[in-house]
Amino acid sequence: MSILQVQNISISFGGLKAVTSFNLSLTQGELVGLIGPNGAGKTTVFNMLTGVYRPTDGDVYFESNSGETKNLIGLRPYQITKIGMSRTFQNIRLFKDLTVLDNVRVAFHFNVKYNSWDGIFRTLRYYREEDEITVKALELLKIFHIDHKSNELAKNLPYGEQRKLEIVRALATNPKLLLLDEPAAGMNPQETKDLMGLIEFVRSKFHLTILLIEHDMHLVMGICERVVVLDYGLTIAEGTPAEISSNPKVIKAYLGEEVEVHA
Amino acid sequence: MGFVQEFLQQLVNGFSLGFIYALIALGYTMVYGIAKLINFAHGDILMVGAYGGFFVLIALLVTPGSFILSFVIAMLICALLGMFIERTCYKPLRSAPRINALITAIGVSFFLENVARVIKPIGPNPKEFPVFPQKFNLLELDFLGVHINQTQIIIFLVSVFLMFTLNYIVNNTKMGKAMRAVSFDRGAAYLMGINVNRVISFTFAIGSALAAAAGILFASAYPQVEPLMGFMPGIKAFVAAVLGGIGSIPGAMVGGLILGIAETLSKGFISSKLADAIVFGILIIILVVKPSGIFGQNVSEKV
Amino acid sequence: MIIMNKRVLTFFKIAGLILLGLLIGDALIYAGIIDEYTAQILTLAGINVIIALSLNLISGFTGQLALGHAGFMAIGAYATAYLVMHIHVPQHLWPVLVGISIIIGGIITAFFGMVIGFPTLRLKGDYLAIVTLAFAEIIRVLMINMEGITGGAAGLKGIPLYTEDINLGPVVSFTWIAVFMILIIFLIRNLIKSSPGRAIVAIREDEIAADSMGVNVFYYKMFSFTLSAFIAGIGGGLYSLFFGYLNPTMFNFMKSADFLVIVVLGGMGSIAGTVATGFILTYLQEFLRVLQDYRLVIYPLILIFIMLFKPTGLAGILEDIKTFISKKISAKAIRKTGEG
């Protein structure tokens, strides 16, 4: 059963085609990698799926939290997040001057069942809901071992933990589909290994479908069930990690970039 | 005077005001295009330029020679002032949140206005701007009952000359090419070896020099100078820049002309008191209908 | 239930303390221990704090620079003045009329806020700053020309004061304004510490990330800006009954800049900072001759220097001192345990 159907989306910036006729189909529960050399258009694909950019062509069908399938074209990012797709950012975009806990609680915002009126007048509902999301937020932080830093400002976390907080924040929106943009960037091999375990853990715990962009081939080949390769905005290959690592087109695209590919 | 004649007369007046707005708008739009900052102090640089010209003309009496000299000196002073402001106030804030740079810009604007009010030779009261004596009043045009006075002709000539010069600099010089590159993608320009700091400095210099010229033209049209004279033209030129598409040089020129004409026509045919409100209404309408302006492109933020 | 009781208890404790403070303030003014002039300055400071807080909401907490709060203040002031001058009620209902008029003044101002916020807040970039700047200017020009309602350039005279009783005047004005100020402080504080408030601050921190985390950015910018206009309008309404006279020149750009200075110096996004700076600056403005003469040169320098060297303002400086001291203390503690 597919939860995401991307059909021929394209986009160009100032006459330059950044992504051409991108297609992708994700099945419920899959973990798929999106790889390709720098500038291949991977993040642009994410931006189109999440509504940050509007594709010039094509359609994106997504089976939302409520079970109905919707075309996402023209929806704003917050609308797409609400129906069950969430993301992290390649160049970390945390709310730097908020605490770790508040970064996560912001993501609960649209699921909170009280309004500004309750907030201003401190109704019972306010206290009940605040207590509830605080507990939930701490639980999520605990999975990623950063719950003890919940009162620190996000900007004061080390880089690796900032990346983890991005994932926690995305999870707090209660997504069906999670898009991770280079989650392991800047991490050392041990941290990357831990992260791989965490990604697999949250996938099964929250029944997630995950699409991830990554340059670290250990991670991609280690946990992805399927890999899509993008080069100059075109999909040049798609298959299992084993198929991809022996695909001559892929090797050619990466030529000169010295990438070790281990199946 | 018939309606057609009056209309044409207002149109001429509108063009001359519009050229001044266009010169100011060029500075706004160039600085915005390259430093991504609304330079609130731009209107006040116009004021400094006008006073620069004022003192030159008071000292030397108004002759065609001293008039040209007043432009050169005022433009030079303002170019230096613009670069100085950028270096000291805006440059340290390039990576800070946008609102910080905006507040600084407001501070600079407010500072220039009020320093002008307290220092002796300027003072808070308006002063009459020196104009050409009768013997130099040589350029006048009467055409189909429409009168074009010497100041207006000077405004046309000076503006057109400066716009052509600017166009030449932007399109045909190495610095112009660097400016376009920085405006397109500062990071990439830097990696290509362009000295981004110098380009930004240069842009402020050019923009401020244009504001100085506009200041003298504005002061000779009214003819007076005062410390707050840059405030309203500054806002209106910003509207012009948005109308043309902020960041676009031809946009600023066209936007300035449209705005000048719209203002003069509303003053002449609707209500002089409401003219400013109408200009403001234009801004609101553009922002609703086409926020990218006439020549602007929709630029999306890099994510 | 135990937790609830604790919360209720805290509420009553805080409410009691505030009420006590207010009563002490009233008593001191009534007894003449705080003289009438000082009482007036305190009252004026309260109004400045209210409007500065409203500016802090949109600029400090939401991150959208607004430069026309004097314009909003003017709308609230004239609207309230119009209502109290044209509606006649029996003596004992007068305070009710005052309260309702001030609130309606705020609502009318909020409407104007919505009208200018709608086209500008949808857009990325800094349009709000220049649009609010221009808006305040236009409002001022319109007020000069709408002589029927505003009295034009000559000003609007004969606005009734909070009370006609000269002896009670300072106490009554102070109380009205202090009550509104306290309510508004709590309104903003509670809002910011709730989920909608976090959404608002998230917008300031990173608009795209907030959007991607499910925050309807435009909605919350509009919400914050409209509420900000509402509060500024209330400040204006309070001002008109305090002064009894309005003139369009009171609401020029310099006035908007005064509020900006209070917010920036106190620390953007700090309620306590705005309150403290509001009182300090209003007081200094009245008493320091230097500040009276050169205020307009010194204030912009404050804006520039704060932004260049300490963008978090006084609140940030206090925070630094606190961290510094606590570090010293913990270092001492470590040394002690080391010795022991």
Side-chain angles (χ1 to χ4, degrees):
Chain A
M1 189 182 66
S2 96
I3 75 158
L4 184 78
Q5 277 280 352
V6 182
Q7 296 175 352
N8 293 313
I9 53 169
S10 307
I11 193 167
S12 35
F13 298 114
L16 193 76
K17 281 229 159 191
V19 172
T20 315
S21 289
F22 179 78
N23 284 287
L24 179 71
S25 173
L26 294 180
T27 312
Q28 170 66 43
E30 249 189 322
L31 207 172
V32 176
L34 181 60
I35 66 168
N38 281 325
K42 304 179 297 287
T43 298
T44 307
V45 167
F46 269 25
N47 284 334
M48 285 192 286
L49 297 184
T50 52
V52 175
Y53 295 159
R54 191 188 173 126
T56 36
D57 256 319
D59 294 297
V60 178
Y61 292 98
F62 177 62
E63 193 199 279
S64 70
N65 273 340
S66 60
E68 56 176 322
T69 302
K70 274 190 182 162
N71 192 347
L72 302 184
I73 302 301
L75 293 186
R76 304 276 312 138
Y78 76 93
Q79 294 169 315
I80 293 174
T81 307
K82 276 183 184 175
I83 59 172
M85 189 193 298
S86 192
R87 72 176 295 182
T88 66
F89 294 92
Q90 179 189 355
N91 45 346
I92 301 173
R93 281 177 171 268
L94 290 170
F95 308 122
K96 292 193 192 78
D97 279 313
L98 291 183
T99 62
V100 168
L101 180 63
D102 277 347
N103 265 274
V104 185
R105 291 200 290 189
V106 166
F108 280 115
H109 165 71
F110 64 90
N111 282 319
V112 164
K113 288 175 212 64
Y114 73 82
N115 54 31
S116 5
W117 202 255
D118 293 304
I120 290 167
F121 291 100
R122 295 285 155 108
T123 60
L124 264 177
R125 196 152 48 168
Y126 163 83
Y127 284 111
R128 201 175 52 224
E129 289 277 313
E130 279 292 291
D131 291 347
E132 194 183 319
I133 62 166
T134 306
V135 170
K136 277 192 192 162
L138 287 171
E139 276 169 8
L140 284 177
L141 286 168
K142 191 162 188 174
I143 295 176
F144 286 81
H145 315 300
I146 43 178
D147 52 324
H148 61 289
K149 294 196 171 174
S150 63
N151 287 323
E152 281 188 33
L153 295 186
K155 66 178 176 193
N156 295 336
L157 291 187
Y159 192 75
E161 289 181 348
Q162 292 199 4
R163 289 229 169 266
K164 286 181 180 170
L165 180 54
E166 278 244 338
I167 301 177
V168 173
R169 193 176 64 170
L171 286 172
T173 64
N174 189 26
K176 268 178 101 169
L177 172 61
L178 181 62
L179 309 182
L180 302 175
D181 200 342
E182 298 194 23
M187 289 189 178
N188 65 34
Q190 185 54 45
E191 285 174 318
T192 306
K193 215 179 138 204
D194 294 344
L195 183 72
M196 285 162 68
L198 286 170
I199 291 174
E200 298 219 284
F201 176 74
V202 293
R203 169 167 73 142
S204 61
K205 184 170 164 74
F206 300 107
H207 311 291
L208 295 174
T209 308
I210 296 177
L211 177 64
L212 64 84
I213 294 173
E214 191 45 71
H215 282 296
D216 187 315
M217 287 305 146
H218 295 284
L219 188 146
V220 175
M221 297 303 164
I223 59 174
C224 293
E225 286 139 8
R226 198 149 60 86
V227 177
V228 177
V229 189
L230 214 57
D231 191 26
Y232 289 110
L234 286 165
T235 310
I236 55 166
E238 193 175 341
T240 63
E243 287 164 7
I244 291 300
S245 51
S246 56
N247 186 319
K249 269 191 185 168
V250 178
I251 293 165
K252 197 178 164 217
Y254 272 100
L255 206 68
E257 249 202 25
E258 298 243 357
V259 175
E260 314 166 44
V261 179
H262 295 279
Chain B
M1 198 155 67
F3 176 79
V4 176
Q5 268 174 1
E6 188 178 342
F7 182 79
L8 289 175
Q9 182 67 57
Q10 294 290 3
L11 209 59
V12 168
N13 298 347
F15 260 102
S16 82
L17 184 61
F19 270 115
I20 296 177
Y21 286 161
L23 286 181
I24 314 169
L26 281 169
Y28 263 122
T29 223
M30 281 167 45
V31 165
Y32 193 89
I34 285 172
K36 301 284 176 281
L37 169 77
I38 300 179
N39 181 14
F40 281 104
H42 195 62
D44 305 298
I45 289 176
L46 172 149
M47 176 270 294
V48 174
Y51 273 102
F54 171 79
F55 288 120
V56 171
L57 294 176
I58 290 284
L60 301 178
L61 300 177
V62 192
T63 62
S66 72
F67 194 67
I68 292 173
L69 187 68
S70 75
F71 273 92
V72 174
I73 291 178
M75 289 169 78
L76 210 65
I77 291 172
C78 286
L80 291 173
L81 178 66
M83 289 200 297
F84 175 76
I85 292 171
E86 195 276 326
R87 268 294 139 93
T88 52
C89 299
Y90 302 153
K91 189 178 168 217
L93 293 172
R94 265 184 220 159
S95 56
R98 279 272 274 278
I99 189 168
N100 295 16
L102 281 179
I103 290 173
T104 310
I106 271 290
V108 172
S109 155
F110 200 25
F111 180 73
L112 290 176
E113 284 169 13
N114 290 301
V115 165
R117 285 159 63 96
V118 294
I119 56 176
K120 269 271 151 50
I122 297 180
N125 298 321
K127 292 199 167 99
E128 198 181 326
F129 194 81
V131 289
F132 281 104
Q134 202 51 46
K135 63 173 174 175
F136 289 119
N137 234 337
L138 310 168
L139 300 161
E140 244 171 314
L141 223 64
D142 277 292
F143 185 69
L144 296 172
V146 176
H147 179 75
I148 308 178
N149 65 32
Q150 172 157 305
T151 312
Q152 288 173 327
I153 293 174
I154 291 174
I155 291 172
F156 296 143
L157 294 177
V158 172
S159 311
V160 169
F161 169 75
L162 289 175
M163 286 178 191
F164 269 108
T165 315
L166 177 71
N167 238 344
Y168 179 82
I169 293 175
V170 172
N171 292 320
N172 301 342
T173 64
K174 218 174 154 186
M175 188 47 107
K177 208 178 199 173
M179 283 166 72
R180 281 179 288 148
V182 173
S183 139
F184 193 74
D185 187 334
R186 190 194 291 171
Y190 174 76
L191 293 175
M192 293 298 117
I194 290 173
N195 185 339
V196 174
N197 286 335
R198 249 186 69 201
V199 173
I200 292 179
S201 260
F202 183 77
T203 309
F204 269 87
I206 297 257
S208 306
L210 290 176
I216 296 179
L217 295 175
F218 194 74
S220 27
Y222 274 77
Q224 78 176 26
V225 278
E226 56 127 347
L228 297 180
M229 66 182 285
F231 184 75
M232 263 304 171
I235 291 186
K236 287 176 187 162
F238 178 81
V239 175
V242 173
L243 174 62
I246 194 136
S248 152
I249 288 179
M253 297 177 187
V254 174
L257 288 177
I258 294 178
L259 205 76
I261 292 166
E263 183 182 332
T264 325
L265 291 184
S266 12
K267 270 197 178 128
F269 297 104
I270 304 173
S271 152
S272 63
K273 286 172 181 168
L274 291 178
D276 288 350
I278 291 169
V279 167
F280 178 63
I282 293 177
L283 173 63
I284 297 283
I285 292 169
I286 314 159
L287 292 182
V288 174
V289 180
K290 197 170 188 299
S292 55
I294 302 171
F295 291 92
Q297 289 157 337
N298 272 314
V299 206
S300 36
E301 194 176 337
K302 223 171 139 103
V303 178
Chain C
M1 239 14 237
I2 294 165
I3 295 174
M4 266 330 294
N5 282 338
K6 209 172 140 195
R7 276 167 180 163
V8 171
L9 205 68
T10 330
F11 172 80
F12 279 116
K13 260 188 205 160
I14 293 171
L17 277 177
I18 287 167
L19 203 65
L20 191 69
L22 195 60
L23 286 175
I24 292 175
D26 279 345
L28 290 177
I29 295 169
Y30 186 70
I33 297 170
I34 294 177
D35 64 76
E36 201 180 318
Y37 185 53
T38 313
Q40 274 199 355
I41 290 168
L42 283 176
T43 312
L44 184 64
I47 296 172
N48 284 341
V49 165
I50 289 172
I51 299 167
L53 280 174
S54 79
L55 178 63
N56 202 352
L57 175 62
I58 185 68
S59 298
F61 288 106
T62 323
Q64 314 296 314
L65 184 60
L67 295 170
H69 268 51
F72 289 142
M73 185 185 174
I75 295 173
Y78 279 106
T80 306
Y82 187 85
L83 291 170
V84 295
M85 287 170 86
H86 288 81
I87 300 173
H88 300 285
V89 292
Q91 188 68 37
H92 67 280
L93 286 178
W94 168 245
V96 179
L97 175 67
V98 170
I100 291 176
S101 301
I102 289 170
I103 301 283
I104 294 178
I107 292 171
I108 293 172
T109 315
F111 171 77
F112 277 89
M114 272 173 88
V115 170
I116 59 172
F118 187 77
T120 41
L121 291 169
R122 272 185 321 147
L123 308 169
K124 291 228 167 62
D126 319 312
Y127 293 107
L128 187 73
I130 201 112
V131 168
T132 46
L133 181 68
F135 169 77
E137 239 354 75
I138 303 296
I139 285 291
R140 207 169 54 82
V141 173
L142 289 180
M143 302 224 152
I144 293 173
N145 291 307
M146 286 164 56
E147 284 175 18
I149 299 175
T150 65
L156 187 62
K157 296 182 197 77
I159 304 165
L161 304 177
Y162 291 104
T163 173
E164 284 170 4
D165 187 331
I166 291 175
N167 291 324
L168 280 178
V171 177
V172 175
S173 310
F174 172 79
T175 311
W176 270 102
I177 282 149
V179 167
F180 267 100
M181 185 186 80
I182 291 163
L183 289 177
I184 285 162
I185 289 173
F186 276 94
L187 183 144
I188 294 179
R189 177 190 167 273
N190 286 359
L191 174 70
I192 291 304
K193 292 192 171 209
S194 73
S195 189
R198 283 192 292 265
I200 282 171
V201 180
I203 293 171
R204 172 192 76 193
E205 292 291 301
D206 190 322
E207 223 171 294
I208 289 174
D211 200 350
S212 296
M213 289 304 123
V215 173
N216 185 342
V217 172
F218 174 59
Y219 174 84
Y220 277 106
K221 279 189 193 169
M222 276 297 280
F223 176 79
S224 168
F225 187 60
T226 309
L227 183 60
S228 174
F230 173 74
I231 297 171
I234 285 192
L238 290 167
Y239 184 78
S240 72
L241 278 102
F242 171 63
F243 240 63
Y245 170 74
L246 296 175
N247 186 312
T249 51
M250 289 171 168
F251 306 104
N252 57 15
F253 175 58
M254 308 290 171
K255 191 87 185 168
S256 297
D258 279 355
F259 301 127
L260 186 65
V261 172
I262 295 177
V263 170
V264 169
L265 184 60
M268 307 233 291
S270 162
I271 293 173
T274 299
V275 175
T277 317
F279 277 96
I280 294 169
L281 282 188
T282 311
Y283 190 81
L284 289 181
Q285 248 172 58
E286 296 299 324
F287 279 102
L288 278 190
R289 271 224 64 80
V290 188
L291 208 58
Q292 278 172 15
D293 295 344
Y294 289 94
R295 181 169 66 97
L296 298 177
V297 180
I298 296 170
Y299 276 17
L301 286 177
I302 292 179
L303 288 180
I304 297 169
F305 279 102
I306 292 269
M307 280 302 127
L308 286 178
F309 301 112
K310 193 71 203 167
T312 45
L314 289 179
I317 293 172
L318 282 180
E319 196 60 36
D320 288 353
I321 294 173
K322 239 163 62 187
T323 343
F324 179 76
I325 292 173
S326 69
K327 259 188 194 154
K328 272 269 153 104
I329 290 171
S330 63
K332 221 178 205 173
I334 289 169
R335 234 178 292 134
K336 261 193 185 151
T337 46
E339 282 162 11

